Amino acid sequence: MTVFIDADGCPVVDITIRLANQAKVECVIICDTSHIFDKVGAKTITVSQGSDSVDFTLVNMLKKGDIVVTQDYGLAAMCLARAAIPISQDGMVYSDSNIDSLLMQRHTAKKIRMAGGRLKGSPKRTQAQNNSFEASLKNLLAESGTAAY
């Protein structure tokens, strides 16, 4: 098993690396050239900038049961199709039962923006969100049978 991080704009990189290392699971950060990551305990793969270049690189590396940290619903859907386990930076585990409604929300928001509408941005990240993510990732690692959990 490998834990992959869709690292462009991801606020839980350090938490993910720490938990993956504790569980003795490989951790891979994937980002494009507009971001620089050099973190102890994780392998970093940097790809060219381009629409979805990180997403396609990540999906092509997946094996069944890998964990993927991402906020991208489209990437989460592709991960589910590859039998991987996507989790959001807030700790929500994406599944076949919630991905369709999330993709529909994304589609609706895009239509509103394309029509000139504005949507409220995300509120400032809280410690509670970090705690929720950490608890969810620990549970996923424990369910996978890793030694440390």
Side-chain angles (χ1 to χ4, degrees):
M1 171 206 286
T2 302
V3 175
F4 290 94
I5 305 171
D6 174 15
D8 296 344
C10 181
V12 293
V13 171
D14 293 332
I15 295 169
T16 304
I17 294 169
R18 177 174 47 81
L19 293 177
N21 282 288
Q22 286 174 355
K24 299 183 180 4
V25 173
E26 180 182 24
C27 186
V28 177
I29 298 169
I30 303 180
C31 60
D32 68 28
T33 55
S34 64
H35 298 85
I36 298 172
F37 285 94
D38 185 19
K39 301 280 188 174
V40 174
K43 175 183 177 182
T44 300
I45 297 172
T46 305
V47 299
S48 299
Q49 282 184 331
S51 179
D52 301 321
S53 60
V54 168
D55 297 353
F56 292 127
T57 299
L58 194 156
V59 167
N60 286 324
M61 296 177 71
L62 287 178
K63 293 186 225 69
K64 181 178 181 178
D66 286 342
I67 296 172
V68 179
V69 178
T70 185
Q71 275 304 105
D72 183 330
Y73 299 157
L75 175 57
M78 290 188 286
C79 293
L80 288 169
R82 297 288 304 258
I85 306 163
I87 179 175
S88 77
Q89 64 192 24
D90 295 337
M92 176 183 62
V93 178
Y94 300 100
S95 67
D96 291 333
S97 63
N98 66 15
I99 196 66
D100 287 339
S101 65
L102 294 168
L103 288 169
M104 182 54 80
Q105 286 174 11
R106 181 179 80 161
H107 174 70
T108 302
K110 183 177 181 180
K111 283 175 55 176
I112 291 169
R113 285 190 304 274
M114 289 183 71
R118 293 186 52 152
L119 300 171
K120 187 175 179 181
S122 300
K124 184 176 172 153
R125 186 158 183 86
T126 66
Q127 186 58 44
Q129 290 170 300
N130 288 341
N131 295 342
S132 178
F133 171 78
E134 186 166 346
S136 291
L137 183 55
K138 278 183 181 179
N139 286 338
L140 288 177
L141 291 167
E143 289 170 4
S144 72
T146 58
Y149 294 107

